[in-house]
Amino acid sequence: MSVLEIKPADQCRYDMIALGEIMLRLDPGDGRVRTARNFDVWEGGGEYNVARGLRRCFGLKTSVVTAFADNEVGRLVEDFIMQGGVDVDYIQWRDYDGIGRSVRNGLNFTERGFGIRGAKGVPDRGNTAASQIKQGDIDWEKIFGEDGVRWFHTGGIYAALSDSTPEVVIEAVQVAKKHGSIVSYDLNYRPSLWDSIGGQAKAQEVNREIAKYVDVMIGNEEDFTACLGFEVDGVDENISNIEIDA
């Protein structure tokens, strides 16, 4: 069994940094989105949630790499991030044109699950600032080489956001490994995100390249089959039944 060699804390500014999109989450409480008149709001993002959890639960020094349109919604999400204790130094701000034609911030309407009915999310995240980050926009050498990071986390949701985000993820993990940071990656396969940029074939192409630099890969059977092309013995195409006694 291999052992992860994590850099000493006194040599790094951060214990952990996450790369991903952070959306404003709107919760209708016990009701449905389609009939709601009030929403509770907070921030959320698959990759960012790890940074926030490590900060709030374990007191670790964390930060996030992302981007927002510079308007009141973006500043609201930034305020939520700061309330969670996550550093905001690496957030990039994009000029807002007044209506969101060129760039905007993501919204995620999320209903709670009850009984056999699962939770239901309605993301509104097209053309967001985070999805428009391109290779070369982030100074990864400063982050990993000068500031120092013990652990870097990102995932398949961010990699699937646009044509440019796979290149951003690959660039980030390459520099992270170069400077000795542990890299974790949550496959988190979402067909709806990959469909418009090449589907499952593109997902496998991107994730196989990213996997070369990953120390800790997170996912279930569906994630590994869809994202990496692995085959799981004894299951059908939809993984509708898994033999747990095997």
Side-chain angles (χ1 to χ4, degrees):
M1 179 178 178
S2 60
V3 177
L4 296 178
E5 296 185 4
I6 304 176
K7 298 168 72 172
D10 60 4
Q11 295 180 13
C12 298
R13 179 180 176 185
Y14 297 104
D15 294 303
M16 180 268 189
I17 281 182
L19 165 67
E21 180 171 62
I22 308 170
M23 295 190 290
L24 185 69
R25 178 170 174 167
L26 295 97
D27 177 5
D30 293 338
R32 306 298 298 268
V33 169
R34 65 178 62 187
T35 56
R37 295 298 178 267
N38 297 284
F39 294 89
D40 289 326
V41 297
W42 59 86
E43 86 285 20
E47 298 85 5
Y48 159 78
N49 292 344
V50 179
R52 193 185 194 283
L54 289 173
R55 177 66 183 91
R56 297 299 292 177
C57 296
F58 299 100
L60 299 181
K61 296 176 292 184
T62 64
S63 187
V64 63
V65 178
T66 192
F68 295 119
D70 195 355
N71 59 21
E72 297 306 302
V73 174
R75 293 297 174 177
L76 173 60
V77 179
E78 179 195 35
D79 187 68
F80 280 130
I81 296 169
M82 291 189 291
Q83 289 181 47
V86 177
D87 185 87
V88 297
D89 282 359
Y90 300 135
I91 292 177
Q92 295 198 343
W93 294 94
R94 307 294 196 227
D95 290 337
Y96 183 61
D97 61 12
I99 62 172
R101 180 183 290 112
S102 60
V103 66
R104 55 192 294 272
N105 296 306
L107 306 176
N108 190 19
F109 297 82
T110 306
E111 296 179 355
R112 303 175 188 180
F114 291 92
I116 62 172
R117 193 192 87 198
K120 182 177 182 180
V122 185
D124 180 15
R125 68 195 310 177
N127 208 34
T128 59
S131 72
Q132 296 183 36
I133 297 176
K134 295 179 174 56
Q135 187 177 22
D137 285 352
I138 308 296
D139 189 349
W140 297 113
E141 284 292 340
K142 179 184 186 307
I143 292 173
F144 294 110
E146 297 179 23
D147 292 345
V149 180
R150 304 178 74 199
W151 194 293
F152 176 67
H153 179 72
T154 188
I157 292 179
Y158 187 68
L161 275 190
S162 69
D163 290 328
S164 66
T165 54
E167 297 176 350
V168 176
V169 173
I170 292 170
E171 179 185 37
V173 296
Q174 287 176 337
V175 180
K177 291 299 293 182
K178 171 184 173 182
H179 290 286
S181 299
I182 300 297
V183 175
S184 60
Y185 185 81
D186 187 351
L187 289 165
N188 214 340
Y189 181 62
R190 305 286 179 87
S192 60
L193 292 178
W194 288 102
D195 282 348
S196 64
I197 59 171
Q200 191 174 98
K202 182 65 174 180
Q204 292 185 5
E205 174 191 336
V206 169
N207 285 298
R208 285 172 176 170
E209 179 62 27
I210 293 170
K212 299 175 184 178
Y213 307 96
V214 173
D215 298 293
V216 180
M217 184 78 78
I218 303 164
N220 59 23
E221 290 85 354
E222 180 187 10
D223 294 325
F224 279 92
T225 55
C227 293
L228 298 173
F230 289 179
E231 294 184 2
V232 180
D233 292 337
V235 299
D236 59 25
E237 181 181 356
N238 297 316
I239 315 182
S240 56
N241 183 56
I242 298 176
E243 181 56 62
I244 61 175
D245 295 327

